[in-house]
C-alpha cells in the first residue's frame, strides 16, 4: 500500500498522565521513588484500588448509564411481551444474529 503525505498517525503514551518533556533530575528521582513505593505496597487494598482506578469523564459515564437503562428497559418490555402473548409468538433472538444497526470506522 502507498502512504500519502497527508496521512494522520495517532500515537498513545504508555502512561497517559506522564508529560512528554524531559524531567529535572530531582523530579525524576521523586517519580522513581513513588514507583518503588507502589511496587512495595501493591498488595495493600487501598493502594491497589488507587492503582487500578481509571478516570472516566462524567459525560461519558452518564451516557453509558443512560444507554444501559435504555437497553434494560427494552429487555424488560420484550420479556413482558413474551409473558402476555401466546407461547412461541415472540421468538428468542440470539444477540449475535440481530441485525447490525450501524458500523463504525
Amino acid at each position: 500500500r502507498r502512504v500519502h503525505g497527508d496521512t494522520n498517525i495517532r500515537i498513545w503514551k504508555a502512561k497517559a498522565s506522564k508529560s512528554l518533556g524531559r524531567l529535572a533530575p530531582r523530579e525524576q528521582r521523586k517519580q522513581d521513588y513513588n514507583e518503588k513505593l507502589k511496587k512495595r505496597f501493591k498488595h495493600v487494598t487501598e493502594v491497589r484500588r488507587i492503582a487500578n482506578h481509571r478516570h472516566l469523564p462524567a459525560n461519558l459515564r452518564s451516557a453509558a448509564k443512560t444507554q444501559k437503562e435504555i437497553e434494560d428497559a427494552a429487555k424488560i418490555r420484550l420479556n413482558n411481551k413474551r409473558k402476555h402473548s401466546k407461547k412461541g409468538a415472540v421468538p428468542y433472538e440470539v444477540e449475535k444474529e440481530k441485525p447490525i444497526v450501524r458500523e463504525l470506522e
Side-chain angles (χ1 to χ4, degrees):
R1 264 173 64 173
R2 270 195 171 147
V3 179
H4 298 288
D6 61 346
T7 304
N8 290 330
I9 298 174
R10 185 172 289 164
I11 299 173
W12 284 267
K13 296 189 285 184
K15 295 188 176 160
S17 60
K18 299 276 183 174
S19 60
L20 285 172
R22 294 181 61 107
L23 297 175
R26 184 176 182 172
E27 204 173 359
Q28 185 64 49
R29 281 195 308 269
K30 181 174 173 23
Q31 285 192 358
D32 293 342
Y33 176 69
N34 285 341
E35 288 300 318
K36 277 187 181 177
L37 281 178
K38 286 181 207 171
K39 278 186 181 175
R40 183 181 296 171
F41 296 105
K42 66 183 175 187
H43 62 280
V44 178
T45 310
E46 291 87 355
V47 175
R48 192 173 346 125
R49 192 182 77 71
I50 293 168
N52 291 336
H53 177 77
R54 295 292 176 268
H55 174 71
L56 188 66
N59 60 348
L60 288 179
R61 186 173 40 250
S62 63
K65 183 181 174 186
T66 306
Q67 190 63 34
K68 185 177 177 349
E69 287 174 0
I70 291 170
E71 289 169 2
D72 289 346
K75 284 179 185 176
I76 290 170
R77 279 196 305 275
L78 195 60
N79 284 335
N80 287 342
K81 193 182 270 189
R82 280 198 187 101
K83 282 180 190 174
H84 299 285
S85 59
K86 210 183 273 189
K87 208 172 202 178
V90 183
Y92 287 92
E93 292 181 29
V94 180
E95 202 67 36
K96 285 183 179 178
E97 294 171 2
K98 286 187 179 178
I100 297 171
V101 177
R102 67 176 173 193
E103 286 188 17
L104 302 174
E105 286 187 29

